[in-house]
Amino acid sequence: MTWLRFPAKALRAQVIARHIRRCGLRGAVVFSCGNASRALRKMDLYVVDISRTGDLEPGRWWDAAEIRRAWPDLFDATSGHLPAPVMAEIAREFREALGDLPEPAYRVPTGSGETVVCLAMAYPQIRWTAVYNLNEATAYHPEAPLNDLVRALCKVEGLE
């Protein structure tokens, strides 16, 4: 089975930046390993980067409600916390960037599950395998809100 690797964080950041600007929001807060934060900063957005290398370092898992209470004026751009319409827009962006995919099945490095869910939305005919725990960016977190959706849409590897 073929690995699918592409600039997902950059494409995601473009969609989120457009969304933030359309909504008239001040910027974004993002809990990240650092990749999503860096991509958003390249969009010339105000970003509160909560990561090991960012503005603040989390000491525990924060859910979407806690993030909203702490930063009510910022868009929560944490992977796995995006609203469905934003994820659908990311799926369309992925489809436009990747075009028709030639293989019937792909493996995707997975952390929050957001990328593989957006790919499944963009390409429902393809069999997706979410592969966790390859590195820090793909670490599995039991609290991640998309875990059940990933299991519903994809085969899962790396949790043994």
Side-chain angles (χ1 to χ4, degrees), residues 9-75:
K9 292 299 183 201
L11 295 169
R12 174 187 191 273
Q14 291 172 7
V15 171
I16 290 171
R18 284 194 306 262
H19 178 76
I20 287 170
R21 290 181 179 112
R22 280 193 313 259
C23 292
L25 296 171
R26 188 167 69 90
V29 58
V30 58
F31 281 66
S32 165
C33 68
N35 295 332
S37 304
R38 278 189 295 281
L40 284 168
R41 282 216 162 109
K42 288 180 182 176
M43 297 293 108
D44 198 29
L45 291 171
Y46 172 71
V47 176
V48 177
D49 175 6
I50 315 293
S51 70
R52 212 168 29 86
T53 59
D55 304 313
L56 299 169
E57 188 172 345
R60 61 175 177 79
W61 187 270
W62 286 52
D63 67 28
E66 291 175 296
I67 295 168
R68 172 52 98 205
R69 283 192 307 272
W71 292 277
D73 61 331
L74 298 176
F75 180 75

